[in-house]
Amino acid sequence: MKKRRLRIGILGSGLMGGKLGTLFARAGHEVVFSYARSERKLERLARQARGRARAGTPAEAARNADALLLAVHWSRVDDVLSQAGDLSGQIVVSCSMPMNADDTGLVIGHTSSGAEQLAKKLQRAPVVAAFGTVPSEVLASVFAAGESASWKSASIASRPPSPRTAARSAPPTACAT
């Protein structure tokens, strides 16, 4: 069976976006890193991720993507979405927690969730919340494991369905956090 390669756009290339994007690239997927404080950081991430990773704008990351990872501070969501353009029909996986500017409290979450609010903004794009309870530091061990042959053979045997398949079977807004 031929391994399916996905095109994954990273909207927010900080700790989570950078690490998850690198994992996706090292798994063989095409990754476009976008939305960082500097172009140099995006280029460095793409170079270190190896494989089919590159730097781009949010619009380039979103163009023809099979899935988008939204990994920005909640205060930056509107800005990155406006730069990404029309996301109709695209799967958006968000690890953006709806925190206030100084990260001391939730701005959403008492009667609604961040994923529900994103789904209202992106009415024609499936939104899934994921990785919200996984600190970026935990992902370092995944990098190390990903370099070993035993991890690679185990990951092939236990590969989850593609994001498009998972999104088709999930409700329009699913929350994994």
Side-chain angles (χ1 to χ4, degrees):
M1 185 165 114
K2 187 177 177 182
K3 183 178 175 183
R4 183 164 186 261
R5 307 246 185 249
L6 299 176
R7 185 172 190 285
I8 303 170
I10 307 297
L11 301 175
S13 298
L15 292 174
M16 288 298 284
K19 288 181 182 175
L20 288 168
T22 298
L23 288 171
F24 299 150
R26 289 183 182 177
H29 301 291
E30 180 182 347
V31 173
V32 179
F33 290 99
S34 75
Y35 204 79
R37 290 189 176 131
S38 75
E39 180 70 24
R40 287 179 51 202
K41 178 180 181 177
L42 295 174
E43 291 168 358
R44 180 178 43 79
L45 278 170
R47 188 174 49 255
Q48 290 174 343
R50 302 189 297 259
R52 298 172 49 183
R54 67 181 181 87
T57 66
E60 291 169 331
R63 189 175 304 124
N64 301 317
D66 293 301
L68 295 168
L69 176 68
L70 179 64
V72 296
H73 191 277
W74 193 254
S75 64
R76 303 263 186 224
V77 166
D78 289 336
D79 184 45
V80 74
L81 293 178
S82 71
Q83 289 185 42
D86 182 14
L87 301 182
S88 296
Q90 293 194 285
I91 298 163
V92 178
V93 178
S94 174
C95 63
S96 296
M97 298 297 291
M99 300 297 289
N100 61 15
D102 62 0
D103 291 325
T104 59
L106 291 170
V107 294
I108 298 169
H110 306 286
T111 59
S112 180
S113 71
E116 288 173 308
Q117 294 303 310
L118 282 172
K120 288 178 183 177
K121 290 176 189 281
L122 304 171
Q123 292 183 7
R124 298 184 337 184
V127 174
V128 179
F131 309 110
T133 59
V134 179
S136 63
E137 296 83 7
V138 172
L139 298 174
S141 61
V142 177
F143 279 114
E147 298 298 320
S148 74
S150 62
W151 164 266
K152 289 177 185 172
S153 60
S155 68
I156 291 168
S158 63
R159 183 167 293 124
S162 76
R164 284 202 188 272
T165 304
R168 275 190 227 114
S169 61
T173 303
C175 185
T177 55

